[in-house]
Amino acid sequence: MVQWPNGKRIAVMFAFDLDAETMWTTRGDGNADHITNLSRGVYGPKQGVPRILNMLDVHGVKATFFIPGVVADDYPEVVKEIARRGHEIGFHGYFHEESTETTYEQEHATMERCEKLFLEMTGQKLAGHRAPGGVIHDYSLRLFLEHGYIYSSNWRNQDGPFLHSIDGKEVPLVELPKDSIFDDTAYDFYTDSAPERYELKSPGEMYEIWKDEFDSLAQEGRMINFVLHPQFMGRVSRVDMLSDLIGYMIANGAWIDTNKAVAEHVLRSRGFYIGKEKNM
């Protein structure tokens, strides 16, 4: 099990999927032309992100924003502000592509396109991958390594980080698992258009669930990697809840940092040196 820096009990990553309109354009069943649902996507970069960034600044916490390339093209100033405040940007597709039939060549081209876009826009070299819709391919791990990524945030089979293996050999690619229990859409994603979802929980209910998970996982020295969407989590009551949760976690032994920083720590602990050339 990984020992966290400075005697911290648990590693916590607040990771935001800034899907904006792609949350709806990739859902099908008419949502791509559903003007009001698309406007819900706009709420994320326009209203949610500024509120979230200000809250993170109050706590001095750095987060990871997984951003589809088309969202960066549509909202460049929002993305530049995220980077200016010191937060990490991770790969999340260009159009938030979720096809299981995407070929190696297509995925490679999409990754190159996004890497070039974010490097030119923010100066950041992408270091990690969170698949849109959780769609992973049999070639994905090799492709991540070929692109110089040091982590994936896709698997859901452990409560802590682990190194991936290819052909039976561990490689310098850290998995930072996620799960629906830490995904805000399990609690606050409402739509009455197909496919319908009616899950709506109060911020207080979300706080209690996540606090209980934190307390239990901290006892085991594990980690939490959140999946948060600014078009939902950016609502003022939920940002206030998230602020309270961060305060509680910090007071109870959490190391809160980006996916990239946690991955680098894991790699160092396993003997894979990460030098300055890997930094943002």
Side-chain angles (χ1 to χ4, degrees), residues 45 54 64 67 74 85 90 125 139 157 174 206-207 221-222 234 275:
N54 289 338
T64 299
I67 308 176
D74 289 344
R85 298 211 198 184
K125 183 180 184 298
Y139 56 75
N157 55 341
V174 179
M206 296 168 72
Y207 178 90
R222 304 291 188 171

Side-chain angles (χ1 to χ4, degrees), residues 54-264:
N54 289 338
M55 181 274 293
L56 294 173
D57 280 352
V58 168
H59 292 281
V61 166
K62 300 305 179 188
T64 299
F65 286 77
F66 292 100
I67 308 176
V70 69
V71 175
D73 277 335
D74 289 344
Y75 302 97
E77 295 307 314
V78 174
V79 173
K80 289 176 183 177
E81 183 64 11
I82 289 170
R84 188 189 70 78
R85 298 211 198 184
H87 302 290
E88 179 200 2
I89 295 171
F91 177 85
H92 201 47
Y94 184 80
F95 290 112
H96 201 269
E97 301 88 344
E98 298 183 19
S99 174
T100 58
E101 299 178 359
T102 304
T103 66
Y104 170 95
E105 291 76 18
Q106 290 171 325
E107 185 74 3
H108 170 68
T110 298
M111 292 171 70
E112 283 193 325
R113 180 181 187 181
C114 293
E115 290 157 9
K116 182 176 184 292
L117 169 64
F118 286 111
L119 184 62
E120 292 177 350
M121 186 175 291
T122 70
Q124 286 197 30
K125 183 180 184 298
L126 302 188
H129 183 287
R130 175 173 282 178
V135 177
I136 290 292
H137 308 277
D138 56 5
Y139 56 75
S140 291
L141 294 180
R142 295 183 186 276
L143 192 55
F144 297 167
L145 286 177
E146 289 170 9
H147 281 254
Y149 291 8
I150 63 171
Y151 74 86
S152 158
S153 175
N154 294 298
W155 271 247
R156 305 171 189 233
N157 55 341
Q158 292 196 35
D159 291 319
F162 61 89
L163 292 182
H164 280 287
S165 296
I166 296 178
D167 297 332
K169 181 181 179 181
E170 283 190 342
V171 294
L173 180 66
V174 179
E175 183 60 39
L176 299 173
K178 60 175 184 171
D179 188 75
S180 296
I181 197 169
F182 302 115
D183 186 331
D184 61 348
T185 63
Y187 309 97
D188 59 9
F189 189 173
Y190 171 86
T191 174
D192 58 4
S193 58
E196 295 84 354
R197 292 181 67 174
Y198 298 104
E199 295 83 3
L200 279 175
K201 303 293 184 184
S202 71
E205 291 175 288
M206 296 168 72
Y207 178 90
E208 289 301 323
I209 291 169
W210 289 342
K211 175 181 174 293
D212 288 347
E213 285 294 312
F214 171 84
D215 288 339
S216 299
L217 290 168
Q219 291 179 6
E220 296 187 0
R222 304 291 188 171
M223 55 153 272
I224 294 173
N225 199 2
F226 280 97
V227 184
L228 307 173
H229 300 79
Q231 61 188 277
F232 305 130
M233 189 52 64
R235 299 283 169 179
V236 64
S237 63
R238 282 161 164 71
V239 173
D240 289 345
M241 176 275 291
L242 206 59
S243 179
D244 291 342
L245 184 67
I246 289 173
Y248 178 84
M249 289 177 167
I250 291 174
N252 287 274
W255 171 40
I256 302 177
D257 215 324
T258 65
N259 276 242
K260 180 175 183 284
V262 174
E264 288 180 336

